[in-house]
Amino acid sequence: MKENALDKAARAAGISLEYINAKGQPEAISDETKRALLAVMDNPDKGKKTPLPPVAVFSGSRKRQLTPQGRGEYHWQLRSEAGKKFEGTLVGGELFTLPSPLGQGYHQLTLSKGKQQWQTRIIVTPRRCYLPPALRDGEKRWGALVQLYTVRSAKNWGIGDFGDLQQLVQQLAANGGDFVGLNPLHALYPASPDFASPYSPSSRRWLNIIYIDVSQVVDFQQSAAAQKWWKSAKTQRALAEVRENDLVDYEAVMALKLTALRHAWTEFQPRDEENEEKRAFAAFVREGGDSLRYQAVYEGVQAERRAGNAQHWGWPAWPEGWRNSQLPDVQHWCEQNEDEIAFWQWLQFLAQQQFSQCWQVSQTLGMSVGLYRDLAVGVAEGSAETWHDPELYRLKASIGAPPDRLGPLGQYWGLPPMDPHVMKARGYQPFIDMLRANMRDCGALRIDHVMSLLRLWWVPAGETADKGAYVAYPVDDLLGILALESQRLRCMVIGEDLGTVPKEIISLLRNSGIFSWKVLWFEQQRDGEYRSPEEYPRQSISSASTHDLPTLSGFWDAGDLQLGEKIGLYPADAVQPLHEQRTAQKQALLNALHKAGSLPARSAKQADKLAMSPQLNQAIHRFLADTQSALLGLQPEDWLGMTTPVNVPGTVEQYPNWRRKLTQPLEEIFADKEVQKLLKTVSQRRKAN
């Protein structure tokens, strides 16, 4: 059957013509959706006739050959990343083999004919991502999975900070742990701090300045004005209040920190230009370039506009002359506010310095992974990135998920997708810059929704999530670049591959050395039995839960189901079957614990009667410690027997997402005898198996 023009155009743009629906059957994408997404897309190469594409990626031992289009003879010149130059002639339409030896890296190929020239970026990549020597040698390591904002301590200002992270690293190492896994640390919105989801950031290249440990900032310590403010009764009352609150009060915390940091900035500014810190800051600004400058501009403008009008939460709500970083009104503001721009750049400098120090501590302590960061799948519509680089993002679409059994209407995430055609036209530089920013100063990078390397579900603006379609991404190229940056920065890669995972990406991820994520609750087979510890793949990280799922105690007590019923997440007729399913899951887990030798037989027959206890908690942690996964991630919430989740997917106002703190401060957690016993058991079993 001949393909019609619309389908042909959609396929050429990477739009899938069908998807697997909630019933497990293929379902065609409507013509309306195809037209809407074609209208949204931008293909910079459309209509252009060039001998070669803008970029070519060669992975592993793949033959490095190209076939230039056109006729006649071209002169070619290739300049390697190391500066070596090769040149010669080639004929259009004939196979051209790149010169050898050409090492891994980023090279530039130029074709010329007469006065015309064409550039192609040549990227040569390894086949697999980096793996730390300890894991390469077959060792198994464990660490803590921490939502940094939830951490309490005697010193922090009502939110976990980089000072707490340093203490966490030290305590974990002392108890046999190898890493701290973190929530996304991406820049959020200092002027709108209640926009707190780490998965809807303003920028994935810069840090959330709320994590700065102000007490570590030398200029805060040395500023007389800062110390006077700090010691005042009013400040100390405000500080005590945010510390004691069981939820993070983002507005109050940010107000305290910005007041303190502006005092510190006033102390920093007069320093001599040859001062070591001043020189380091100047170098940081140069290296950050336009990306850092306009991140700082955005934060400065947003603070000013929101102070004048609370409705001006972000650039989509600003007057038209302010909705792009290059507009005259914005440029005029920049000319008048260089000092304000420098202040926000300095905050990024402080954040990066403190995070880097945490990484250095982990390496001094001999941790093989040390820290791992989390890369969100996108940025929010009203973000600094979309404001500064709107061409890269399709602002008239959002990514999400198609309808499935758990979400019959699909999911709409409110995150505009990066356009794969623009990424390719730019030689993948936006992707490379993002990886480098997130692989800096850490031993592993977790990629949220790793399937985004293959495809994303795009939903046209104004439509419901079921009116979307999958759009393809150049997965082979992206995996190659990911492996190259991973090897260069000595940063392993973990892929969050939960939920619907297309078959075609499973082997690609495995062959690229990307670790899979294995969550205990999901590791059930078709007959309902839980997989035994020895069945977990070595190239994986295992955990009891995640930030989107109930805690261990919450799962056991069905607190998540009770909460979901209370806030209206489940239809009335779905609640009882969910409770019955949970009872069956608990019994299956008890059976698995008994079979693995983690729990006595007498305890494995009482799922409907057995309450969560320190003994059962220990048994589940023993089971997890025995898995063959090279990495194991444990949540402090589970050490403490906490029942409330940190995030309830599908809610906005119904639940205080991203705010719930740990029940105990760091100083008490690691002094707790039960916690010490649990961590000792985990360490011993990870070494023994």
Side-chain angles (χ1 to χ4, degrees), residues 191-195 251 301-315 317-318:
S192 301
D194 276 340
F195 289 1
E251 289 274 4
V301 172
Q302 187 181 32
E304 185 177 293
R305 297 211 65 85
R306 189 161 165 77
N309 185 335
Q311 300 303 312
H312 285 190
W313 54 269
W315 70 260
W318 297 349

Side-chain angles (χ1 to χ4, degrees), residues 293-299 301 315-316 318 322-327 330 334 380-390 393 395:
R293 177 173 175 79
Y294 284 101
Q295 179 67 31
V297 171
Y298 189 72
E299 289 175 351
V301 172
W315 70 260
W318 297 349
W322 293 81
R323 293 181 189 171
N324 183 295
S325 67
Q326 302 307 303
L327 291 172
V330 177
C334 291
E381 178 192 1
S383 66
E385 285 195 18
T386 56
W387 181 68
H388 179 53
D389 193 0
Y393 295 91
L395 297 174

Side-chain angles (χ1 to χ4, degrees), residues 333-352:
W333 185 93
C334 291
E335 292 168 8
Q336 303 297 313
N337 290 275
E338 287 296 341
D339 181 67
E340 181 71 3
I341 296 168
F343 169 69
W344 292 102
Q345 290 174 316
W346 184 64
L347 297 189
Q348 287 295 332
F349 172 65
L350 293 178
Q352 188 62 60

Side-chain angles (χ1 to χ4, degrees), residues 10-277:
R11 194 185 296 278
I15 300 168
S16 179
L17 304 184
E18 63 179 27
Y19 76 101
I20 303 301
N21 65 20
K23 298 177 182 178
Q25 300 168 339
E27 183 166 329
I29 300 299
S30 71
D31 286 352
E32 290 78 8
T33 294
K34 294 170 201 168
R35 290 191 188 97
L37 290 181
L38 284 170
V40 161
M41 284 185 173
D42 177 31
N43 189 345
D45 295 326
K46 190 175 181 180
K48 290 183 182 177
K49 289 189 176 181
T50 58
L52 290 173
V55 61
V57 181
F58 299 92
S59 182
S61 58
R62 177 186 158 198
K63 285 187 177 181
R64 298 166 191 173
Q65 296 177 321
L66 296 164
T67 304
Q69 302 303 301
R71 297 180 179 179
E73 192 173 82
Y74 296 91
H75 178 264
W76 65 267
Q77 182 182 95
L78 190 146
R79 187 174 293 276
S80 75
E81 188 177 52
K84 192 172 182 180
K85 192 166 76 171
F86 307 85
E87 59 185 323
T89 57
L90 57 82
V91 177
E94 294 184 6
L95 199 63
F96 167 60
T97 302
L98 294 172
S100 183
L102 189 64
Q104 292 173 6
Y106 302 94
H107 316 291
Q108 194 68 39
L109 175 65
T110 303
L111 293 190
S112 56
K113 181 188 284 188
K115 293 182 179 180
Q116 287 186 293
Q117 280 195 345
W118 301 271
Q119 305 278 341
T120 294
R121 188 177 212 180
I122 303 295
I123 307 177
V124 179
T125 74
R127 192 171 65 87
R128 293 177 66 84
C129 293
Y130 174 76
L131 191 63
L135 302 189
R136 207 161 53 231
D137 293 342
E139 295 182 29
K140 297 195 297 184
R141 299 297 174 98
W142 71 271
L145 306 180
V146 179
Q147 300 288 303
L148 187 55
Y149 51 88
T150 68
V151 175
R152 295 179 187 261
S153 74
K155 294 182 178 180
N156 78 32
W157 290 24
I159 191 170
D161 59 29
F162 291 136
D164 293 331
L165 178 55
Q166 188 168 322
Q167 187 181 343
L168 258 170
V169 167
Q170 292 166 331
Q171 291 285 5
L172 256 293
N175 284 275
D178 187 69
F179 61 87
V180 176
L182 296 158
N183 56 282
L185 302 178
H186 307 318
L188 293 182
Y189 311 89
S192 301
D194 276 340
F195 289 1
S197 171
Y199 292 94
S200 296
S202 178
S203 171
R204 291 184 288 177
R205 288 188 60 183
W206 302 104
L207 293 170
N208 187 350
I209 58 99
I210 205 169
Y211 293 128
I212 294 172
D213 178 358
V214 179
S215 63
Q216 285 188 24
V217 178
V218 172
D219 291 285
F220 174 73
Q221 299 165 2
Q222 294 179 350
S223 165
Q227 291 306 304
K228 182 180 178 181
W229 169 84
W230 166 248
K231 292 171 183 175
S232 72
K234 182 179 178 182
T235 299
Q236 289 299 309
R237 279 196 305 272
L239 185 64
E241 189 173 330
V242 295
R243 276 184 181 153
E244 291 165 10
N245 200 325
D246 290 334
L247 301 175
V248 179
D249 185 340
Y250 285 100
E251 289 274 4
V253 170
M254 186 64 81
L256 282 167
K257 291 202 173 189
L258 285 179
T259 299
L261 290 165
R262 285 199 182 274
H263 280 305
W265 172 242
T266 301
E267 186 75 12
F268 176 81
Q269 283 178 296
R271 287 194 187 201
D272 186 273
E273 294 304 318
E274 293 305 309
N275 172 272
E276 186 178 346
E277 278 294 290

Side-chain angles (χ1 to χ4, degrees), residues 78 183 291 391 398 485 512:
L78 190 146
N183 56 282
S291 175
E391 181 196 46
S398 167
E485 294 300 325
S512 294

Side-chain angles (χ1 to χ4, degrees), residues 14-16 18-20 29 402 455-458 468-472 500:
I15 300 168
S16 179
E18 63 179 27
Y19 76 101
I20 303 301
I29 300 299
R455 68 184 191 184
L456 277 172
W457 183 259
W458 286 29
Y470 278 116
V471 173
T500 303

